[in-house]
Amino acid sequence: MDDTNAVIDILGRRLRLAVIGGGPGSFIGAMHRTAARIDDRYELVAGSLSSDPDRSRAAGEAIGLAPDRAYAGGTELLDSEAARDDGADVVAVMTPNDTHHEYATGALQRGFDVICDKPMTNTLDEALDVLATVRSTGLVYCLTHNYTGYPLVRQASAMVADGQLGEIRLVQVEYVQSGKADENDPDPAGEVPWRYDPVRGGPSLVMGDIGTHAHNLLRFITGLEVAEVAAEVGHIAPNRLVDDYAGAMLRLSNGARGSFWVTQAAAGVENSLWIRVSGTKGSLEWLQEVPQLLHFKPLVGPVELRTPNGPGTYPLAARASRIVAGHPEGFHEGFATTYSDAAEAIACRRAGKEPDPLTMHFPNAIDGVMGVKFIEAAMASSAANGAWTSAEIDLGD
Ligand SMILES: NC(=O)c1ccc[n+]([C@@H]2O[C@H](COP(=O)([O-])OP(=O)(O)OC[C@H]3O[C@@H](n4cnc5c(N)ncnc54)[C@H](O)[C@@H]3O)[C@@H](O)[C@H]2O)c1
């Protein structure tokens, strides 16, 4: 990200951002608000941070919002901000999954560009409805599959697109965590958290929480779709009522094969999102816990390393770095890249300008639909004892 502010260049001001969700105790709420500020493309002007009206207002004021823009609820925020001359331009949604559809479509219908956390929605019908609303309004929709904002994930994507790996033959992706390794999680004596309620959290906890990230990473780096999946989706912690594990074999759209392995119940593992992509000319490997190293293993020649802003960096990757080579960048910066690219697209849309194509690599509504379709296909396969099941869908134009 260079140090000129593309949004101020285009619009003469920052984008005005409103947030729905992300109140006290939410990991991702502060992440969204920080990501929006890192490159100075947005100013936070309004929020509804809790489903409880009093807590929502109090939490908004506690992060410095003006009292009249610390709203009691998301719908009140959308109505009030749409009515103001200085109202928000963009609404970011980071609420529990069952409300993504309502707030995203509600925002789009009122003319706001939208940034929404994953999964896009809990059902395929809702996801298709968001896509249709994005298309009919012509507004920008950005889905925060934030790992696509890491410099070396972009480098991997650019190297594949440039043919450095040759024809892709095999992809292995895994996302392994330990947050649900405790067999007594959630606390049996406590209230059921929203994630553990399929109506609120969606049909599969592990797939909605991290499976969509792994699926999106595979698609982003390879440019391929998952054509068919043979999956087992279930739980490895005994007696758990929700999914904490999924394993699958994949057939990709070019005939390549893949494996997919996700769990939140691997004791002690922290945030092991890992991918290996193998082509006819070599392989790439990247691990989120060491995000500043991308291994390139050519068929002929020694193993090579790529680093953010180091030698051989493609423009797509260089754009995602803010600092000279050798200084670590990570989760916050990757998230910020997603926000800042969306900001440039939004500013260009508002000014009637064509965006720089390098801006347009943030995950969008089609990526969201593909993620929800993949969850549906993996679950259908699992219910059919791992039968190969199509994950394709016709999205029209
Ligand atoms: N991109 C990522 O890496 C990532 C990481 C974690 C969570 N998430 C996503 O973020 C979303 C929230 O997850 P979380 O872990 O922060 O959940 P959480 O339960 O920790 O926090 C949810 C927050 O939203 C608030 N909230 C609930 N309903 C609301 C409503 N109707 N209006 C306004 N605020 C409301 C709650 O008060 C709470 O502060 C989920 O969709 C999840 O999938 C994404």
Side-chain angles (χ1 to χ4, degrees):
M1 221 40 72
D2 65 36
D3 52 11
T4 58
N5 189 323
V7 170
I8 293 181
D9 279 355
I10 296 165
L11 296 181
R13 62 172 177 83
R14 297 175 187 84
L15 289 166
R16 294 187 287 265
L17 176 72
V19 293
I20 305 180
S26 153
F27 161 69
I28 212 65
M31 188 61 54
H32 277 262
R33 298 193 298 271
T34 304
R37 292 293 306 132
I38 282 183
D39 296 317
D40 208 14
R41 304 313 198 240
Y42 301 85
E43 57 173 322
L44 182 63
V45 296
S48 166
L49 280 80
S50 168
S51 55
D52 175 86
D54 292 335
R55 281 207 290 271
S56 181
R57 277 191 294 262
E61 290 190 42
I63 61 165
L65 294 174
D68 65 328
R69 297 175 93 175
Y71 292 99
T75 305
E76 183 193 343
L77 177 151
L78 296 176
D79 286 340
S80 302
E81 288 298 313
R84 291 178 73 111
D85 290 339
D86 64 347
D89 305 298
V90 187
V91 172
V93 179
M94 59 214 75
T95 49
N97 303 346
D98 61 321
T99 53
H100 291 182
H101 172 260
E102 173 192 346
Y103 291 137
T105 54
L108 291 163
Q109 282 155 0
R110 289 170 178 82
F112 299 106
D113 296 287
V114 167
I115 296 170
C116 185
D117 220 313
K118 40 56 59 181
M120 182 187 220
T121 58
N122 278 345
T123 70
L124 187 57
D125 282 350
E126 287 175 342
L128 289 167
D129 189 48
V130 175
L131 175 63
T133 312
V134 170
R135 284 177 170 168
S136 65
T137 56
L139 294 160
V140 172
Y141 176 95
C142 166
L143 187 71
T144 48
H145 277 304
N146 44 291
Y147 297 109
T148 63
Y150 280 74
L152 292 178
V153 169
R154 291 177 164 223
Q155 175 75 8
S157 168
M159 288 174 73
V160 170
D162 195 33
Q164 291 206 25
L165 271 68
E167 180 71 18
I168 303 303
R169 296 281 194 242
L170 185 73
V171 185
Q172 296 152 278
V173 64
E174 63 178 53
Y175 199 161
V176 178
Q177 301 176 323
S178 74
K180 294 174 180 51
D182 179 350
E183 294 176 10
N184 289 316
D185 176 86
D187 177 0
E191 217 175 281
V192 177
W194 66 264
R195 279 187 162 78
Y196 292 79
D197 171 0
V199 174
R200 303 200 65 203
S204 173
L205 193 161
V206 73
M207 292 296 284
D209 260 12
I210 59 175
T212 50
H213 273 314
H215 170 256
N216 185 259
L217 186 70
L218 177 158
R219 293 177 59 251
F220 182 83
I221 291 178
T222 64
L224 300 170
E225 293 294 347
V226 175
E228 288 181 282
V229 55
E232 179 183 46
V233 184
H235 55 93
I236 53 175
N239 304 323
R240 182 163 274 152
L241 299 175
V242 293
D243 300 333
D244 62 24
Y245 157 80
M249 293 187 294
L250 310 175
R251 291 177 178 155
L252 305 183
S253 47
N254 71 339
R257 296 301 196 249
S259 65
F260 170 96
W261 186 257
V262 296
T263 183
Q264 295 165 301
V269 181
E270 291 180 338
N271 197 56
S272 184
L273 174 60
W274 174 83
I275 188 163
R276 176 188 290 134
V277 181
S278 299
T280 47
K281 296 202 276 188
S283 296
L284 286 173
E285 294 173 7
W286 182 79
L287 172 63
Q288 192 272 168
E289 291 182 345
V290 193
Q292 71 276 25
L293 295 180
L294 176 68
H295 289 82
F296 177 43
K297 301 182 172 176
L299 177 63
V300 180
V303 172
E304 299 175 19
L305 281 179
R306 297 288 186 280
T307 55
N309 260 344
T313 307
Y314 282 81
L316 182 64
R319 181 185 170 79
S321 265
R322 294 163 184 79
I323 198 161
V324 290
H327 295 75
E329 297 179 279
F331 196 90
H332 286 91
E333 292 87 349
F335 220 107
T337 297
T338 305
Y339 257 83
S340 296
D341 278 349
E344 201 166 325
I346 292 166
C348 285
R349 185 195 68 71
R350 287 176 177 264
K353 286 187 164 183
E354 272 305 307
D356 177 342
L358 286 181
T359 302
M360 300 306 291
H361 290 261
F362 59 86
N364 60 26
I366 289 178
D367 298 305
V369 172
M370 296 313 295
V372 177
K373 174 67 190 174
F374 180 68
I375 296 176
E376 186 192 83
M379 294 189 72
S381 166
S382 186
N385 203 23
W388 284 106
T389 302
S390 171
E392 291 177 320
I393 182 168
D394 180 1
L395 294 175
D397 298 324

